Amino acid sequence: MAVRIDGRAPAAGGKNQAAAEAGRLHIGCHLSSSKGFAAMGRQALELGADTFQFFTRNPRGSRARGLDAADAAALAELMAEHRFAPVIAHAPYTLNLCGAEEKNREFARETMADDLRRLEHLPGQYYNFHPGSHVGQGVEAGIDLIARGLNAILTPDLHTTVLLETMAGKGSEVGGRFEELRAILDRVEVPDKMGVCLDTCHVSDAGYDIIGGLDGVLAEFDRIIGLDRLKAVHLNDSKNPLGSRRDRHACIGEGEIGLEALARVVRHPALRGLPFCLETPNELPGYKREIALMRRQAE
Ligand code: FE
Ligand code: FE
Ligand code: ZN
């Protein structure tokens, strides 16, 4: 009998079901955390999702609600039962580890450290953040401040993997080039706690041609960062063309990337098994349709 790499025997149904399970697309969407952890898990199931993303607190980065350990445990149980891929906790996008003023950098560090403490109640998930904007200090200074910020908050005993998101490169954003993400990773003292989340809208806006040359973009990612560092994908169409550096998400098939190119992303063997998360401008029924659409494309 085949033994899975996690050491568990295949589920009832035997080899075929185990194989189907291994090839299953893990997909979900961004959800509101206003009703708590377990409610997001139930919402995901209703949408046909087996992963999801949520903001750890409101975009301004204000105080998070008190954490309910029983609620986190209930989500962990639901995720195990329904074989979810890891979920993505997204940091407030207003945080800036490489802001020009120390008080802004300190606020980002303290907020992220608090988020990571809370996520210890839900071990094994991802914490995704936007590397930051260097606001005129230069890319090199930005990279240095981001790495120093991470070194101040990451600990070897962390049960969360922290993901740098690939950015569109708008304004003074750091992380629009794979080389910048690599430079940050190189300076982090506990690199095994770090990974990357590839956002399809952002990389296209940053000038990586995932429409005409997905294989080449992934080969470049592998050469510069390493595909073993890629832990999650944000699946978005873009309102703007290749290299526009704008960062405006579109619904799947309604933007410049298009359904065909995004279907190749979910089918790509190098990305198999990763959680794919929609951040398209949708309400829940739209997300449900896009999840079903991408599951059909992945077959
Ligand atoms: Fe993001
Ligand atoms: Fe994103
Ligand atoms: Zn975006």
Side-chain angles (χ1 to χ4, degrees), residues 90 128 130 165 199 202 234 279:
H90 195 309
N128 176 76
H130 295 183
E165 182 166 351
D199 185 309
H202 297 177
H234 283 164
E279 304 175 301

Side-chain angles (χ1 to χ4, degrees), residues 266-277:
V266 297
R267 281 198 291 259
H268 202 285
L271 307 178
R272 182 142 301 157
L274 296 181
F276 290 84
C277 194

